Amino acid sequence: MALIWIILTMFIVDFLLRKLLRVKHKGFFGRYEHFNKNYALAEKYTFIIFLVLLISNIFIQFVNDPFIFTWALLTFIWLIRGIQEWKYDKENKEYIFSWIGSTTFLIIIALSLIGLV
């Protein structure tokens, strides 16, 4: 239940900040355009590492909650996107929302490790 509240709070903060800062929403499932090939490769390799860890966790269980890998992947990808947007497109202010998302997923990871989520 706490997980739902955390994600719902993230969407509400995202919505309110978009209205306040007048940043246009690109679309929830819209295609993401990379500014740099290095960042695209970093996301690609992060996803491959995520899949390897997730599959290896099935055979050798080193984490009790496999969703921690999912939250870690989302945290890292949104952090990389935030850095990329901040570096190449500062005036759009989209990086703020990527960092809010990565911070939210980092909070979910911490609460999952503690056992509250």
Side-chain angles (χ1 to χ4, degrees):
M1 188 67 173
L3 182 63
I4 294 171
W5 285 109
I6 292 170
I7 293 175
L8 184 65
T9 303
M10 180 191 79
F11 283 122
I12 291 171
V13 168
D14 184 85
F15 176 77
L16 292 175
L17 277 176
R18 283 187 189 280
K19 294 294 181 190
L20 183 68
L21 297 175
R22 296 184 182 133
V23 176
K24 197 172 201 174
H25 197 273
K26 290 182 180 177
F28 191 72
F29 293 110
R31 179 161 164 71
Y32 184 76
E33 297 293 328
H34 295 280
F35 295 104
N36 190 340
K37 290 195 184 252
N38 292 333
Y39 287 106
L41 286 174
E43 278 193 23
K44 179 180 165 183
Y45 291 134
T46 302
F47 186 71
I48 291 170
I49 291 170
F50 162 73
L51 287 179
V52 168
L53 287 175
L54 192 62
I55 291 170
S56 64
N57 192 46
I58 293 171
F59 299 110
I60 305 167
Q61 188 174 7
F62 47 90
V63 175
N64 291 335
D65 187 10
F67 287 112
I68 289 178
F69 290 127
T70 305
W71 300 123
L73 171 77
L74 291 173
T75 301
F76 190 69
I77 285 178
W78 282 26
L79 183 66
I80 286 174
R81 287 183 180 181
I83 291 170
Q84 177 182 349
E85 290 163 347
W86 175 70
K87 189 173 182 181
Y88 295 106
D89 194 17
K90 284 184 184 177
E91 63 273 354
N92 193 10
K93 296 182 183 135
E94 189 70 33
Y95 60 92
I96 295 171
F97 306 104
S98 296
W99 289 346
I100 287 172
S102 64
T103 304
T104 301
F105 293 130
L106 192 62
I107 290 169
I108 291 171
I109 290 172
L111 293 177
S112 294
L113 291 174
I114 294 172
L116 296 177
V117 176

